[in-house]
């Protein structure tokens, strides 16, 4: 989905405690799917921010009809309750490309999903007060540097980025805003593409360090969802001339001991241009945990009617 278009939050995964299936829709409307029995090429212990959870970092590779899909999912689940789980990550789709993959023509899809994020279950949002949310953010980073002015050729990079998101919810005003990379640095990290592209980042000089993605104020809807068509990219040493992005997500239907949703899940997409002609894009997902939930690990169960 190009940044600037409406980015509605939707369910992308199915997990029964043993098998995970991930589904996204390509730009041409084609449904793409991978599952753990057939398409996992690497599974490693993962790091999760969720108290009481255990995580697995999964890398999927699917080659079908000349198209290639690469996906990363961090599956975080309560070992005592498989329905208490979160799956978030990204999908890179290379239509008509295999085995050599190119930035040009690729499609990128961030996602985050889980039973407590099912918008068939409306969370009970507080009517006043504020809450802060912090957690991991990550996804795919693309960057193009023109080789010579007037030519189409470029140095192109497609890699992974990781960082932290910070969010502030004002329940009285019904607003949510935040930033990715304002606390700590964004980093380029070949965590999953390295399975088949090698462990070295294509161009270490094209770093994401010091970029910040500012998420403009979004209005909370009654169903706990939100979306905003503005994400601004900044950098202390580079002049950003254009930022075109959007972000959207949903509050958890499980409250923390303070009565606030225990987490916020969302994704962001933004294209940007710099004064020297370089262009870039970030497509990622993030998970913000409330301060109380992070510190205590205590929350209320999923309301009746949930999975």
């Amino acid at each position: 989905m190009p940044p600037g278009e409406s980015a509605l939050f939707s369910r992308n995964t199915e997990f029964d405690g043993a098998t995970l299936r991930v589904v996204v829709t390509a730009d041409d409307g084609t449904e793409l799917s991978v599952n753990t029995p057939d398409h996992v090429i690497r599974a490693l212990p993962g790091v999760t921010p969720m108290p009481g959870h255990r995580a697995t970092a999964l890398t999927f590779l699917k080659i079908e009809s000349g198209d290639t899909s690469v996906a990363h999912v961090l599956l975080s689940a309560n070992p005592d309750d498989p329905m208490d789980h979160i799956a978030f990550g990204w999908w890179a789709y290379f239509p008509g490309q295999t085995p050599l993959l190119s930035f040009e023509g690729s499609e990128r899809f961030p996602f985050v999903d889980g039973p407590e994020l099912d918008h068939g279950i409306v969370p009970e949002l507080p009517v006043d007060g504020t809450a802060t949310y912090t957690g991991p953010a990550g996804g795919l980073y693309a960057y193009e540097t023109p080789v010579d002015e007037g030519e189409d050729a470029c140095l192109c990079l497609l890699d992974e980025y990781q960082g932290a998101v910070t969010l502030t919810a004002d329940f009285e005003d019904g607003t949510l805003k935040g930033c990715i990379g304002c606390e700590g640095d964004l980093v380029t990290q070949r965590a999953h593409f390295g399975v088949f592209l090698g462990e070295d980042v294509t161009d270490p000089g094209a770093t994401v360090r010091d970029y910040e993605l500012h998420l403009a104020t979004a209005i909370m809807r009654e169903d706990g969802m939100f979306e905003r068509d503005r994400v601004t990219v900044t950098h202390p040493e580079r002049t950003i001339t254009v930022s075109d992005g959007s972000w959207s997500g949903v509050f958890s239907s499980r409250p923390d001991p303070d009565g606030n949703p225990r987490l916020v899940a969302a994704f962001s997409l933004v294209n940007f241009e710099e004064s020297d002609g370089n262009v870039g894009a970030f497509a990622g997902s993030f998970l913000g945990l409330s301060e109380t939930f992070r510190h205590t690990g205590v929350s209320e169960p999923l309301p009746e009617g949930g999975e």
Side-chain angles (χ1 to χ4, degrees), residues 3-225:
E5 294 188 4
S6 179
L8 294 176
F9 194 87
S10 61
R11 297 300 304 270
N12 296 98
T13 66
E14 301 170 1
F15 181 60
D16 60 7
T19 299
L20 174 69
R21 181 173 182 261
V22 185
V23 181
V24 298
T25 302
D27 290 347
D28 64 0
T30 302
E31 183 180 279
L32 310 173
S33 68
V34 293
N35 61 73
T36 46
D38 298 325
H39 307 117
V40 169
I41 58 173
R42 185 166 69 178
L44 298 172
V47 177
T48 175
M50 296 291 289
H53 278 207
R54 296 176 184 171
T56 304
L58 301 165
T59 304
F60 296 82
L61 176 63
K62 183 178 182 180
I63 301 174
E64 185 176 54
S65 301
D67 302 332
T68 301
S69 287
V70 184
H72 159 60
V73 181
L74 183 71
L75 177 60
S76 175
N78 183 337
D80 298 322
D81 180 8
M83 291 302 99
D84 176 13
H85 69 266
I86 298 288
F88 62 106
W90 50 258
W91 186 303
Y93 177 51
F94 302 87
Q97 298 185 41
T98 184
L100 299 177
L101 306 182
S102 168
F103 167 85
E104 185 176 0
S106 65
E107 301 175 22
R108 290 144 338 251
F109 313 95
F111 58 85
V112 57
D113 197 12
E116 66 189 274
L117 307 175
D118 187 338
H119 40 97
I121 308 171
V122 178
E124 294 185 9
L125 299 181
V127 296
D128 56 21
T130 62
T132 58
Y133 294 83
T134 304
L140 297 175
Y141 166 65
Y143 196 75
E144 294 183 1
T145 301
V147 175
D148 292 305
E149 187 175 354
E151 295 185 7
D152 294 333
C154 68
L155 296 175
C156 300
L157 166 71
L158 178 60
D159 230 301
E160 305 166 56
Y161 76 91
Q162 295 180 358
V165 64
T166 52
L167 300 161
T168 301
D170 188 323
F171 294 109
E172 183 173 356
D173 290 344
T175 60
L176 180 70
K177 62 182 179 180
C179 181
I180 300 171
C182 287
E183 291 191 9
D185 286 322
L186 297 183
V187 295
T188 303
Q189 192 167 0
R190 169 114 356 131
H192 302 278
F193 278 179
V195 171
F196 59 97
L197 295 182
E199 297 300 331
D200 293 332
V201 175
T202 304
D203 180 7
T207 178
V208 296
R209 193 176 304 277
D210 294 331
Y211 280 108
E212 296 178 355
L213 313 183
H214 295 267
L215 311 172
T217 300
I219 303 299
M220 305 175 194
R221 300 188 338 206
E222 293 184 357
D223 59 4
M225 298 178 68

